[in-house]
Amino acid sequence: MKCGIMTFHRAINYGAVLQAYALRNVIESDFKVKCEIIDYRCKSIESMYTNPFFLKGLKAKIRGLLLLPKRIKFNNFLNKKLLIGKSIQKNDLEKCSQNYDYIITGSDQVWGKRRLGVDHSYFLDFVKDNNKKISYAASMGGGTIEKEYQQQYINLLQSFRHISVREYEVKEMLENMLQKPVEVCLDPTLLLDKEQWRGIAKGRVPKRKYLLIYTMTESGSLIKHARKVANQKKLDIYYISDSFHTYKGIKNLRAVGPEEWINLFMNASYVVTNSFHGTAFAINFNCDFNSEISKGISNRGARITDLLKSVGLSNRLINNVEDTQPIDFKRCNSILEKMRNESKAYLEKIFNEEK
């Protein structure tokens, strides 16, 4: 049996590459199914990470060149941990699909509206055998599907054999639209526990206890909150950021690779973030944290609020109660383990089911 995964593995984005690594790892180790990341070169995704030599403007070129070490680290991770093979272009996908018994699309925002008008590959439109079409924890980013897009989603998803998504509100919408069951599964990064992630964590970490900031969008209110917590708990502050801009008393950590990113989260005393995956890893590593739903990503905030609600940690929202007391993770870990088992049961059903 052989399985292929379609996902955003080439994005220079920690969550994207780590969820791809985790899903492949779980499928192979837990279910003994040979699994490959389909190295599809999506033009619209890769255009977001243009080679610095092709950028316009001196400032853009300089910034691009400064990011080269980070790009190299991500490429090394793809080659050594994701074990990607020959790159696949759009015209090759249908032929490639014949090499697999199952093709899974997910996790990440593979079904976001931006994919509708650009590239339907992540909806597995190239797979002719519908029995092969599976989704795992697919995300749409936003929490609603406007009427003008609903028929497109129905046409693209009706043929899937099994569908699972990452957000509960997306589950309800799709079940109403498709008139078929849709499951909710954990983001793949949460399928691996802390000890499993420790196996690939590497890199130096600060010697003194520290608060770690990781953001998807800049946020003054988040920085203000981080300063307050660090002052209360007497922690140094480190910010995973490639920005030229720095904040007084906060040290930027630039060109951080995926394994180093894991290590920084694993050893942090406190995390402040507005990232879904920043929140997920803080929870998984039992690190005290606060999350913010920033204005710039408010339409994608359901991912964070759903996760916090599901593990009983809604009080950790900066926008809410701003609880900074130490977290008793005992109940949270118990809930997370139950959800982990349920998500693996979804995969087990797929691989053990007769076509």
Side-chain angles (χ1 to χ4, degrees):
M1 191 181 296
K2 192 174 181 182
C3 174
I5 297 175
M6 282 285 289
T7 190
F8 296 163
H9 64 289
R10 280 192 170 271
I12 311 299
N13 175 286
Y14 301 106
V17 298
L18 294 175
Q19 62 85 19
Y21 168 82
L23 185 56
R24 179 184 174 277
N25 184 288
V26 166
I27 290 173
E28 289 211 328
S29 63
D30 286 40
F31 304 105
K32 312 305 178 188
V33 174
K34 183 173 176 55
C35 186
E36 295 176 347
I37 305 294
I38 298 174
D39 191 25
Y40 172 50
R41 306 298 293 264
C42 177
K43 292 181 179 179
S44 63
I45 296 293
E46 294 197 20
S47 66
M48 299 167 62
Y49 307 97
T50 308
N51 187 305
F53 295 104
F54 299 115
L55 293 171
K56 295 181 179 179
L58 181 60
K59 189 174 181 179
K61 286 181 184 294
I62 292 173
R63 176 174 172 78
L65 288 169
L66 290 174
L67 288 176
L68 271 179
K70 181 177 181 179
R71 185 189 292 267
I72 291 170
K73 289 176 180 178
F74 269 78
N75 285 338
N76 287 338
F77 186 83
L78 292 183
N79 293 324
K80 295 178 180 178
K81 299 300 181 183
L82 293 189
L83 304 176
I84 57 173
K86 182 181 177 182
S87 294
I88 303 295
Q89 305 300 321
K90 177 71 176 175
N91 293 339
D92 301 320
L93 282 172
E94 183 178 346
K95 183 178 179 181
C96 172
S97 71
Q98 297 170 18
N99 298 327
Y100 302 104
D101 298 290
Y102 302 95
I103 298 181
I104 297 178
T105 183
S107 169
D108 227 317
Q109 297 173 53
V110 290
W111 290 348
K113 288 193 289 289
R114 284 190 292 181
R115 301 271 76 75
L116 284 179
V118 179
D119 189 343
H120 293 169
S121 301
Y122 298 97
F123 293 89
L124 305 187
D125 66 333
F126 60 91
V127 180
K128 302 309 176 186
D129 182 353
N130 292 338
N131 281 322
K132 295 182 178 183
K133 296 166 74 168
I134 310 291
S135 78
Y136 179 85
S139 178
M140 295 180 178
T144 59
I145 302 174
E146 292 85 351
K147 284 187 177 180
E148 68 235 60
Y149 298 114
Q150 289 184 6
Q151 191 58 50
Q152 289 185 71
Y153 275 105
I154 291 172
N155 294 342
L156 289 164
L157 300 180
Q158 189 66 56
S159 60
F160 271 68
R161 187 173 184 200
H162 291 290
I163 296 177
S164 81
V165 295
R166 200 162 61 185
E167 295 89 31
Y168 286 96
E169 58 184 341
V170 172
K171 162 190 164 70
E172 294 174 4
M173 282 188 299
L174 288 184
E175 283 185 332
N176 289 332
M177 288 166 51
L178 303 174
Q179 295 299 300
K180 62 191 298 182
V182 174
E183 297 191 39
V184 174
C185 287
L186 280 176
D187 181 86
T189 61
L190 291 168
L191 294 178
L192 301 182
D193 61 28
K194 184 175 182 178
E195 291 309 306
Q196 289 171 301
W197 282 115
R198 194 187 300 279
I200 66 166
K202 71 176 186 180
R204 297 172 63 183
V205 296
K207 292 182 180 180
R208 289 158 52 95
K209 290 185 177 182
Y210 61 95
L211 178 149
L212 184 66
I213 300 174
Y214 175 64
T215 64
M216 294 302 292
T217 57
E218 291 286 334
S219 169
S221 57
L222 185 147
I223 296 296
K224 181 179 178 181
H225 179 76
R227 288 188 190 279
K228 182 179 76 173
V229 175
N231 184 57
Q232 289 174 349
K233 300 181 181 294
K234 296 180 171 52
L235 302 172
D236 292 342
I237 307 178
Y238 288 86
Y239 189 178
I240 298 176
S241 173
D242 297 296
S243 174
F244 289 122
H245 178 70
T246 58
Y247 296 91
K248 185 178 180 181
I250 299 177
K251 182 175 176 57
N252 280 17
L253 299 172
R254 296 185 173 88
V256 173
E259 295 112 320
E260 296 166 313
W261 190 91
I262 292 170
N263 210 24
L264 286 165
F265 268 82
M266 192 167 286
N267 288 280
S269 295
Y270 208 100
V271 168
V272 177
T273 185
N274 60 19
S275 152
F276 169 81
H277 282 107
T279 303
F281 274 90
I283 292 171
N284 207 1
F285 293 168
N286 285 191
C287 179
D288 290 335
F289 73 97
N290 288 115
S291 296
E292 179 182 68
I293 308 299
S294 296
K295 293 180 181 178
I297 58 169
S298 57
N299 65 325
R300 290 177 277 151
R303 295 182 295 160
I304 296 175
T305 54
D306 267 8
L307 175 59
L308 293 177
K309 184 178 179 181
S310 66
V311 296
L313 294 176
S314 295
N315 61 320
R316 305 309 291 194
L317 278 175
I318 292 174
N319 326 57
N320 193 0
V321 182
E322 298 190 16
D323 191 346
T324 61
Q325 295 301 309
I327 300 171
D328 181 355
F329 278 100
K330 186 178 295 185
R331 178 172 177 270
C332 171
N333 290 339
S334 176
I335 295 171
L336 186 58
E337 185 61 23
K338 181 175 181 291
M339 294 170 68
R340 188 176 281 142
N341 290 335
E342 290 171 349
S343 296
K344 288 184 178 181
Y346 170 78
L347 291 170
E348 183 176 24
K349 174 177 64 177
I350 291 166
F351 297 128
N352 288 342
E353 187 178 59
E354 288 292 331
K355 284 189 177 182

